[in-house]
Amino acid sequence: MMRGVLLDLAGVVYDGEKPIAGGIEAVAALRDACLPLRFVSNTTRLAKPAIVAKLHAMGLDIGTDEVFAPAAAARDWLLRHRRSPHLLIHPGLEPEFRDLPRGGQPAVVIGDAGEAFTYSALNEAFRLLDDGADFLALAANRTFRDGDGRLSLDAGPFVTALEFATGRHATVLGKPSVDFFLAALADMGCEPETAAMVGDDAEADVAGALRAGLATALLVRSGKYRPGDETRFDPPPTAVVDDLAAAATWIIERRGP
Amino acid sequence: MMRGVLLDLAGVVYDGEKPIAGGIEAVAALRDACLPLRFVSNTTRLAKPAIVAKLHAMGLDIGTDEVFAPAAAARDWLLRHRRSPHLLIHPGLEPEFRDLPRGGQPAVVIGDAGEAFTYSALNEAFRLLDDGADFLALAANRTFRDGDGRLSLDAGPFVTALEFATGRHATVLGKPSVDFFLAALADMGCEPETAAMVGDDAEADVAGALRAGLATALLVRSGKYRPGDETRFDPPPTAVVDDLAAAATWIIERRGP
């Protein structure tokens, strides 16, 4: 029985600046089957309004409240723990943190900063962590599929670098955080046992969702997928399908009464 | 019985641009006790002639052939395996690789590149590794004591970042490589069972030397040492002493007949 679906965005719904063939129609088909959807993205190079605008420009029917990205989880964490962010993030994400209180106890917040990952910025973050600052990672993905179609370094390698240097562990707020998956499910009133996740990252999307208790996690052969990914992480995907269109068909067939 | 001594340089003999108090005299005392010495350094921001010149300027009596640094081990590896280096290193180390053949199968060579660790350079190295290039790390130290007296990120965190991204393991050529320790010992005709290592890095210097089979490894409380380092890595140091002067006294007392 399927009562709700979580979809990754980059590599599943779109690739670079274009929707993946059949993706827009697949989202519409899931909606037509009355399956509530949430889009759970670890993309941390754009603020949420920019993500939603990009999706609208591609012709995707999507509401702002349907998108879950790690920056909002980080904002909640910072406010709840009364910490001031020390940001090691992409300039495109900075608007998400602009109005937070400054000057308090620091928490280092790391995303996929891209070219903003300079030695100086990493070393400054290291020294703050070494002095006891809290350690938040928006995501810990190893790679993403870049604009030129090749894999590029995502936030994960840099989080790992700072973990190795400090001997500490980051709190990851995006996928594969159990809280992140459960917050998206709770928002649509769906239990993990009746939910499915669709992603192109066998580790953060698929193994992560299954570890969070979701009954089903489908790995698509689009985006960053490479042959062999399905056996690289534990637990393995419920099924491997070509793309979001095939995933939607798979899910709708198992929708149940 | 002691028949040979390996000394780390940064944090043991000197700190920044100055010799550590009593260090020059301690080296002289070890020489007076007829103990052969080799200086085994993971510093990869300077070519060997520049290291030796720096030590001479500090008043240290040292021969070029007494200094072992990872760049020479990397050169040997590249020539032996007929690989062309793709360098992710500090500009100060580039002279060491200038005359090597280019255009062959690539090997990524990573040192403490400092500000040369840009996202673009790391991503370029990642893509080469992902395409199957060999993966050499000159060193994998977590941190070093920087000019301002604080710890800064060394090569290790960046090596770890690329290991995490690629799912591969780097071949480390400097300390704690067993081959590196044994090459320095062989050069002075000393067996590991009669050798001592003195260092401020409880992991690469001390645990590394003991794993390579050296009978003795002393941790000094100078350089990057912090209280607690002596129990942080396995095996623990043979003894913890204040500085190189105390280490020299400790070793000379146990010199034997």
Side-chain angles (χ1 to χ4, degrees), chain A residues 18-242:
Chain A
K18 287 186 192 163
I20 286 177
I24 306 283
E25 297 77 6
V27 171
L30 289 165
R31 292 202 194 280
D32 288 345
C34 295
L35 284 162
L37 305 179
R38 292 296 181 271
F39 298 84
V40 285
S41 173
N42 268 13
T43 302
T44 57
R45 289 194 177 191
L46 289 174
K48 190 162 146 182
I51 295 175
V52 173
K54 178 175 170 164
L55 294 167
H56 283 168
M58 288 178 189
L60 192 75
D61 164 30
I62 191 170
T64 300
D65 292 348
E66 290 180 307
V67 177
F68 279 71
R75 285 177 57 88
D76 289 350
W77 193 101
L78 291 162
L79 289 166
R80 205 163 62 242
H81 292 81
R82 299 170 185 271
R83 293 291 188 273
S84 294
H86 174 88
L87 300 172
L88 187 52
I89 62 172
H90 195 276
L93 198 66
E94 281 171 9
E96 298 268 16
F97 296 94
R98 206 161 274 161
D99 60 336
L100 287 173
R102 304 280 160 152
Q105 288 275 347
V108 171
V109 179
I110 306 177
D112 169 21
E115 298 292 344
F117 278 131
T118 63
Y119 179 80
S120 298
L122 284 160
N123 203 44
E124 195 184 348
F126 159 68
R127 288 178 167 193
L128 280 168
L129 294 171
D130 195 44
D131 285 344
D134 292 288
F135 189 2
L136 304 182
L138 297 173
N141 300 66
R142 293 169 201 256
T143 58
F144 70 98
R145 196 170 133 100
D146 212 335
D148 61 1
R150 301 192 62 188
L151 296 187
S152 283
L153 296 172
D154 207 320
F158 298 92
V159 173
T160 304
L162 292 173
E163 289 185 329
F164 179 73
T166 58
R168 298 177 55 189
H169 283 288
T171 300
V172 179
L173 295 168
K175 298 173 284 184
S177 155
V178 173
D179 289 347
F180 188 71
F181 284 112
L182 297 186
L185 292 182
D187 192 60
M188 52 182 181
C190 178
E191 297 297 323
E193 303 79 46
T194 56
M197 168 77 201
V198 182
D200 67 332
D201 189 313
E203 186 175 26
D205 291 337
V206 172
L210 295 171
R211 273 197 218 133
L214 276 76
T216 302
L218 304 182
L219 180 64
V220 290
R221 292 193 194 91
S222 57
K224 76 175 85 166
Y225 170 83
R226 287 181 180 184
D229 280 355
E230 51 269 55
T231 57
R232 207 159 279 152
F233 303 102
D234 189 54
T238 312
V240 188
V241 295
D242 274 349

Side-chain angles (χ1 to χ4, degrees), chain B residues 4-26:
Chain B
V5 181
L6 301 181
L7 301 178
D8 179 31
L9 282 170
V12 174
V13 175
Y14 65 84
D15 215 351
E17 301 303 315
K18 286 187 193 165
I20 286 177
I24 306 283
E25 297 76 7

Side-chain angles (χ1 to χ4, degrees), chain B residues 71-154:
Chain B
R75 285 177 56 87
D76 289 350
W77 192 101
L78 291 162
L79 289 167
R80 207 163 60 241
H81 293 81
R82 298 169 183 272
R83 293 290 188 273
S84 294
H86 175 90
L87 301 171
L88 188 51
I89 61 173
H90 195 275
L93 199 65
E94 282 173 8
E96 298 267 17
F97 297 95
R98 206 160 273 161
D99 60 336
L100 287 173
R102 304 280 161 152
Q105 288 275 349
V108 171
V109 178
I110 306 177
D112 168 22
E115 298 291 344
F117 278 131
T118 63
Y119 179 80
S120 297
L122 284 160
N123 203 44
E124 194 184 349
F126 159 68
R127 288 178 167 194
L128 280 169
L129 294 171
D130 195 44
D131 285 344
D134 293 287
F135 189 0
L136 305 182
L138 297 173
N141 300 66
R142 292 168 202 257
T143 58
F144 69 99
R145 196 169 132 100
D146 213 335
D148 61 0
R150 301 192 62 187
L151 296 188
S152 283
L153 296 172
D154 206 321

